[in-house]
Each structure stands twice: as C-alpha cells, then as structure tokens.
Amino acid sequence: MWYPHLMLKVLRVQLAASFLVSLGLSLPDWETSSAAQPAPTPPVSTAPRSDRAGQIENLLQAASQAERAQDYDKAASVYRQILKIRPQWALIHQSLGIVYHLQRRYQEAITTLEQALKLDSSLWGSHLFLGMDYYRTNRFLKAIPSLEQAIKLNPKLAEAEARMWLGSSFLALQRHHEAIQQFVRLVELKPTDLEALFNLAQAYNRYSSRLFERATDLDPESAEAHRLQGEWFEWQGKTDEAIAEYLKVCKLYPDWEGMRLLIAGLYVKKGEVDKAIQQIEEGLRLAPLDEKLLQLRAALEKRESSDSRSHGSTGSHLGGSQTTAAPGTATSLTEKGLERFRARDFEAAREQFAQGLQKDPSNTRAAIYLARSLFGLERYGESIEVLRLHNQLAGDESEALFWAGKAYQELAALTLQKMIVIDPESYRVHQLSGETSEAKVQYGEALKQYQSALEQFPDLTGIRFAIGNVYWKMQQLEEALSWLKDELARNPYHALANYRVGSIYAAQGHSELAIPFLEKAVEANPEMFVAQQELAKALLGLSRETEAIKILKSLVKADPKDESIRYLLAGAYKKIGELEAASAELKVFSQLKEEKSRRRREQLRQRVTLSEEATVQ
C-alpha cells in the first residue's frame, strides 16, 4: 500500500502536545522526567545548576514551541544545537528523527533514529518511527522487526499504529495472509476506524486477485480459468461469450455444482427458455434436490405451460444412488456430504465432510467441499482456514485457490459495507469501491470512483498509481504513463509504479528507457521477481547478456520450477556462446513443461473419474 495514514496527520498536529509527552520528550525538564517512556533518563548532576543546564532547558522549550507551531525546520535546528552540547542523549536523537519524519526526510530520519537506538535500544518510539520510515523507503523486510519491537516494548501506545504499518509492509511483500492477520488485529483495536477497515478490505481484495491469478497461471485452460473468464464476460454484459466459457467449464469439470444454474440463468436472460430448461435438466441429473434448480424449472414451466412440456421425475436419480463404501468410513461420509451439499443443505454437508476429514485428514476432496459448505453458510473466514489448514493454498489445486479467492472477495465486500454504514461519502469508500470495480473489470466505474477519491483528497498517496494502472489494463498506455509518472513524482520509491512504467517502455521496444525504472522497482522491492525478469529481458534486448544472466540465475534459485526463466536463461547462454549451458537449461525447460502438462492431465482424469462416479450413483 502506498498512501498516507490518518494517524500520521494527527501526529503532525499533536506531536508536541500529546505523543511526545508520552515519550517524555516535551516536559520542561527532561533530565528529571518520570513519564511513561521506558528509556532511562540521563543522569542528573548533583552540582549546582549551571548555565549549560539552563541553556538546554531554553532550547527544549524553543523546540517544543516550534513543534506546536509545526515549524519543523526550526525544531530540527534546535535539536541539532542540543546534540552539540550533549551528543549522547538518545531521546534528543529520537525527537530529531521524528521531526525529520514529519518533514518527509525519511533517509535522514532513519539515520537519526538508528543512532538513537544505538544509544538506547529500549526507545519504543524510535522503533516505531524507524519502521515507518523503512516502509516509506520500501525497505519492507527491515520495517517488520522494528515495528514488532515497538509493540513488544509498549503495546498500549504503539500497537495500533505499528499494526497498520506491519500490515502494509507484509502486503507490499505480497505476504497477504500475514498482512490480513495484522489488519484483523487492527480492526479489533479500532472497530469503527475507516482507515483500519479500508486496509483490511484492500488486503482481502488483493489476496483474492492474487489467488485468481495463481489459479489461471497454473493452467490457463483449466475449468477455474474458464469460469473466471466467464465471470469477466458476464460483468461486461457479454452474455454469449459468458455462456461459451461456462460450457467449457462443464466439459472440463462436469460435476461442478452450480454451473448449470449459471448457464440457465443467462439463457433466461436471453429469452431462450428451451436451452435454459435443458441446462436445468443437466443440473438435476447431478443434484436432484437442488432447490434453486427446481424453483427455476417450476417458474419456467409455469411460463411455458401452454407448450405442455413434460419433464418427468428426477427422484429416481437419488433413489438409485448406492455406495460400496462401508458405513462410517471417510469415503461414505464424503459421499453423504456430497448428497447434502447438492441439496444445498450446507450445515448437514459441513458435518459430514468434517467427520470425513477427522477420519482421513488427507482427503483433499472432503477438505475442498468442507470449505465450500462453509462458504455456502457465509462463514467465509472459516472456509479459508479449512483450505489453509489442509495445505490447499500452497500447492497447485486450482479449485482450492478459486474458492479461497471467492471467500476473500466476499470478506472484502462485507468490510466495504461496514465502511459505507460509517461514512458512505468517505474518500476511502470511493477508493475501495474503485478497487472492487477494477477487480470485476468494470474499468469505467473504477476510474469514476478513483477520481472521486482524488477530488476529496488530492494528496492521497497511491491514487494516481491506481488510475494509471487501470489505464494500463485498458491498454491506453500514454494515459497510463502520465498518471504513473505523476505518482512517481510524489513517491519515487513506488515499486509497482516503477515496474509498470518500465514494462510499458519494454513492450514498446524502448529497453534503454525501461531499464532505469525496472532497476528502481527491483531496488525498492527485491522480492518483486516479475520486475527482475522484465529487467533481464530488457538487458537481453540491449545485448547485455552477462548482467541478464546474473539476474536470471538468482531467479532460478528463488523459483527453480518456473519454466519461463529457464527458457530465457537458455537463450542468454546461447547468445554468449555457452552452448552446453544453454542445452542444459533447455532440457530443464522441457522437463518442467512436461511435468506441468502431466499434472494437468492427472487433474482432468481425476475430475472425469469423479464425474463418472457421480453419474453412476
């Protein structure tokens, strides 16, 4: 996340009067302070008061007055004068660091706060602001331990602000689950705070999008990928295209409950009742007791009663169902759960799948359906936790990734509703509504919401990136470049903005323009591997193979199973004449591609088998 927190605005106004008082930094005589700040006070001399002590007292009063007037230049100057007299005073280093922070002189703040902690490692305020400033300069990994230490030293005063920045740091590193944990705790501390709710909803949205991307990247021709594509078409009002994608889903995954209902609904929307009824019948073969299918069929039959259609009974499908599994086994419990799930009795299904997992924790099918049952009960957090506990989000199970993404999407929507109740016209509501519309590929609405947020809060960090990013997705690249560069003028450390600009230039064939931006992106966030890969490609475009190979080799270490990196590396080796190394990388590339294809075929085989079993039963 790259935007200012409301707490920072509060600190600008109240630093001297409230926050520094809690640190013991603005009392008339700091040498005898008994404030709550845990740092030890400097030793007080027993000698008669000297002119030097009086000079320090006057300087402290001058610094306090400057802070109250928000004259941070003067406050910084006064603190530097004090440090000339007492260079080892940790609390003054801390005060100077905070003033630099408020001036957005983040690197100077970091240097000064690090010095304060060398002198006194117990200064929780220094840990807190150091973590903030590491974040502001995109050193997210360094920010995390500083913020955690601030909470450890003084949870009462530091926790809320530190959780905000911790969550933001984890989110910037794409460690979404850890970010969400921090923001959930923040909302527990501040349940009606719009900023806390916004951060949580944004983390939900971003994790949802990432999970959908992973599901699609694993296999662009998977049932999950086609369903996501179908939803995209449906959101765009492209009904025919949506139906075509959903029919592909049914071919790949015949027993995916709910798909026939989706297709039938679209046919009804088009006025093609015969085709809708055909889809309903297909759905009822799998789920004879599905109330929604039965209700839709009854409504259509009533509408088309003049045709005297006769659809027959579907009860025999259920009556003929038999299982060879012994009663009480994990298999029989799973099959009973499926029966109840397809009848939309999600509570009974949940009980069956939970019992099945107790008997066989490795039952992947039961884990996914337990999660889906909880999703049907609108217990989205529990749904996600089931998938996480059974390690379904770490591997290549596209269906688990899909449903976790759906659950996070619902959690984001619920959080947005809480924000709307608190303040429907808040710029954060507009910003989050924009992100929600963007996730649904409703780009026009997203731009409208982002522009509303910008009008309300022109200094909103990150909003120009959001607008530029939408234009990038719309392939309006000149507009995108304008907005993205506008963001970088305000926040040159914005890793993703640098990456986007670099990738646009690279796509236009301007490698020499792309490289500086891509280098900045990698410097700002070394874990942004996609930026490193794009940088390597740009370097190869300028025949700088040695530099590209160095980057690609580090990427191979980070992700040995990414076949695209192996392919690039093979090409780079070939260009410099290292044919043996090129051949070795091509061999690994072929093996990885074949393994990916094998996994896809196996998943498809398993689904077909399960579908055949369901049809027989």
Side-chain angles (χ1 to χ4, degrees):
M1 293 167 19
W2 292 273
Y3 48 84
H5 294 287
L6 296 179
M7 179 60 74
L8 185 56
K9 294 181 70 177
V10 174
L11 288 175
R12 287 180 184 275
V13 179
Q14 298 181 339
L15 183 61
S18 60
F19 190 77
L20 289 180
V21 168
S22 72
L23 299 175
L25 300 182
S26 60
L27 298 178
D29 187 351
W30 290 15
E31 297 185 40
T32 58
S33 171
S34 59
Q37 167 63 31
T41 57
V44 180
S45 171
T46 57
R49 191 174 189 83
S50 64
D51 291 341
R52 186 165 147 177
Q55 181 185 4
I56 290 175
E57 183 174 358
N58 289 336
L59 288 170
L60 289 173
Q61 290 175 354
S64 179
Q65 290 171 1
E67 288 171 344
R68 289 192 180 97
Q70 299 182 53
D71 187 349
Y72 299 124
D73 284 334
K74 182 177 180 181
S77 175
V78 173
Y79 285 133
R80 287 192 293 266
Q81 291 179 58
I82 297 173
L83 288 173
K84 288 179 181 178
I85 302 171
R86 295 189 57 178
Q88 301 301 306
W89 200 344
L91 292 173
I92 299 300
H93 284 284
Q94 175 174 263
S95 289
L96 179 58
I98 292 172
V99 169
Y100 284 147
H101 170 93
L102 294 171
Q103 292 176 298
R104 299 188 181 183
R105 296 161 63 179
Y106 299 125
Q107 187 52 55
E108 292 169 273
I110 288 170
T111 301
T112 307
L113 293 167
E114 286 176 339
Q115 180 60 28
L117 290 170
K118 284 180 182 178
L119 296 169
D120 187 349
S121 62
S122 67
L123 294 175
W124 67 269
S126 291
H127 284 291
L128 177 62
F129 279 89
L130 185 59
M132 293 182 192
D133 293 328
Y134 281 143
Y135 175 87
R136 285 295 191 184
T137 53
N138 280 31
R139 284 173 269 187
F140 308 119
L141 286 172
K142 294 192 75 172
I144 290 167
S146 294
L147 296 166
E148 290 175 336
Q149 185 66 9
I151 296 173
K152 181 178 178 181
L153 289 169
N154 194 334
K156 182 177 180 181
L157 292 176
E159 185 174 9
E161 187 71 8
R163 296 286 181 195
M164 176 84 78
W165 293 92
L166 269 172
S168 300
S169 297
F170 283 125
L171 194 58
L173 292 168
Q174 297 191 46
R175 292 160 61 174
H176 299 90
H177 180 62
E178 292 163 284
I180 287 167
Q181 287 179 315
Q182 298 298 326
F183 292 137
V184 165
R185 173 59 183 155
L186 180 60
V187 170
E188 289 174 356
L189 294 169
K190 304 171 75 173
T192 60
D193 185 88
L194 275 176
E195 198 69 17
L197 290 165
F198 171 80
N199 279 277
L200 179 59
Q202 187 179 60
Y204 285 147
N205 263 336
R206 291 192 179 179
Y207 200 11
S208 173
S209 296
R210 180 62 191 131
L211 290 166
F212 290 150
E213 287 172 10
R214 278 180 58 198
T216 302
D217 290 345
L218 282 169
D219 184 357
E221 296 303 321
S222 68
E224 290 76 20
H226 284 295
R227 179 161 180 176
L228 289 168
Q229 184 66 28
E231 290 179 355
W232 185 90
F233 283 131
E234 192 174 348
W235 287 328
Q236 296 297 303
K238 298 179 179 179
T239 305
D240 289 335
E241 292 89 340
I243 290 172
E245 291 297 322
Y246 290 152
L247 288 172
K248 290 177 184 177
V249 173
C250 292
K251 185 175 181 180
L252 290 165
Y253 190 171
D255 61 337
W256 195 345
E257 297 85 357
M259 289 308 307
R260 299 293 180 176
L261 181 64
L262 280 175
I263 299 169
L266 291 176
Y267 277 131
V268 170
K269 185 177 180 181
K270 291 184 64 181
E272 298 181 16
V273 176
D274 288 344
K275 290 182 178 179
I277 290 176
Q278 182 182 356
Q279 291 299 318
I280 292 170
E281 294 299 342
E282 290 292 332
L284 289 171
R285 286 193 181 92
L286 176 67
L289 300 181
D290 187 321
E291 289 184 5
K292 290 191 175 181
L293 282 169
L294 292 170
Q295 289 170 0
L296 180 57
R297 188 180 69 174
L300 294 177
E301 284 178 336
K302 184 176 181 180
R303 184 192 301 181
E304 299 295 311
S305 59
S306 60
D307 294 340
S308 302
R309 288 188 176 88
S310 175
H311 300 292
S313 173
T314 60
S316 60
H317 295 298
L318 184 62
S321 175
Q322 295 181 350
T323 177
T324 58
T329 65
T331 303
S332 69
L333 290 167
T334 300
E335 294 306 326
K336 289 178 182 176
L338 282 169
E339 180 183 303
R340 301 319 309 153
F341 181 89
R342 289 167 179 165
R344 298 185 181 272
D345 185 354
F346 297 125
E347 181 56 40
R350 181 199 64 79
E351 293 177 3
Q352 294 293 325
F353 291 129
Q355 291 177 39
L357 276 172
Q358 286 179 349
K359 293 181 179 294
D360 180 9
S362 66
N363 190 332
T364 300
R365 193 182 188 204
I368 290 176
Y369 272 95
L370 174 57
R372 290 188 62 187
S373 299
L374 290 164
F375 185 95
L377 291 167
E378 300 183 3
R379 291 157 61 174
Y380 305 117
E382 293 175 70
S383 176
I384 293 164
E385 197 57 29
V386 166
L387 296 172
R388 186 170 299 284
L389 285 174
H390 291 274
N391 206 33
Q392 294 297 301
L393 302 184
D396 57 359
E397 177 49 64
S398 298
E399 189 175 2
L401 297 173
F402 176 87
W403 285 110
K406 284 290 184 184
Y408 278 120
Q409 208 172 53
E410 293 295 335
L411 288 172
L414 290 172
T415 309
L416 174 59
Q417 287 304 311
K418 291 180 182 178
M419 294 172 64
I420 291 171
V421 169
I422 295 169
D423 183 358
E425 296 304 318
S426 163
Y427 72 93
R428 286 302 198 197
V429 170
H430 286 296
Q431 186 178 3
L432 189 59
S433 297
E435 290 198 6
T436 301
S437 296
E438 183 181 344
K440 293 181 177 180
V441 205
Q442 297 171 345
Y443 293 141
E445 181 63 22
L447 288 172
K448 177 183 174 183
Q449 294 294 337
Y450 287 147
Q451 292 284 5
S452 295
L454 181 62
E455 288 173 10
Q456 285 191 38
F457 194 169
D459 292 331
L460 183 58
T461 304
I463 194 65
R464 290 166 178 82
F465 166 78
I467 294 171
N469 198 46
V470 171
Y471 279 121
W472 173 78
K473 291 179 178 180
M474 296 169 70
Q475 289 298 293
Q476 296 184 26
L477 299 185
E478 293 308 315
E479 281 287 333
L481 280 173
S482 175
W483 284 99
L484 293 168
K485 287 183 175 180
D486 200 4
E487 180 68 35
L488 289 172
R490 293 165 170 77
N491 181 9
Y493 299 104
H494 197 309
L496 197 51
N498 277 300
Y499 167 66
R500 285 281 185 260
V501 173
S503 67
I504 290 171
Y505 281 136
Q508 293 174 336
H510 302 307
S511 296
E512 72 286 354
L513 296 176
I515 286 172
F517 289 99
L518 294 170
E519 287 177 334
K520 287 180 182 178
V522 173
E523 180 185 359
N525 186 359
E527 293 193 1
M528 188 183 286
F529 298 135
V530 66
Q532 292 190 47
Q533 188 168 343
E534 194 68 42
L535 175 58
K537 289 163 66 177
L539 290 167
L540 288 172
L542 294 178
S543 299
R544 293 163 62 177
E545 286 86 6
T546 303
E547 296 168 79
I549 287 171
K550 183 179 179 181
I551 294 171
L552 292 170
K553 287 172 73 174
S554 70
L555 288 174
V556 165
K557 289 182 180 178
D559 188 358
K561 294 186 177 182
D562 188 328
E563 71 270 18
S564 65
I565 298 171
R566 300 285 188 168
Y567 187 79
L568 286 172
L569 191 52
Y573 279 134
K574 185 177 180 180
K575 281 188 175 183
I576 62 173
E578 294 189 18
L579 300 182
E580 187 176 341
S583 178
E585 291 300 329
L586 278 175
K587 183 178 179 181
V588 176
F589 165 75
S590 298
Q591 291 171 343
L592 290 171
K593 199 164 185 182
E594 174 55 31
E595 174 61 21
K596 190 173 184 178
S597 296
R598 186 198 63 77
R599 287 200 306 270
R600 184 191 171 202
R601 290 194 301 270
E602 178 61 21
Q603 288 180 350
L604 184 58
R605 185 193 65 77
Q606 290 177 352
R607 284 181 174 176
V608 170
T609 300
L610 291 173
S611 177
E612 289 173 349
E613 290 175 354
T615 302
V616 169
Q617 294 170 355

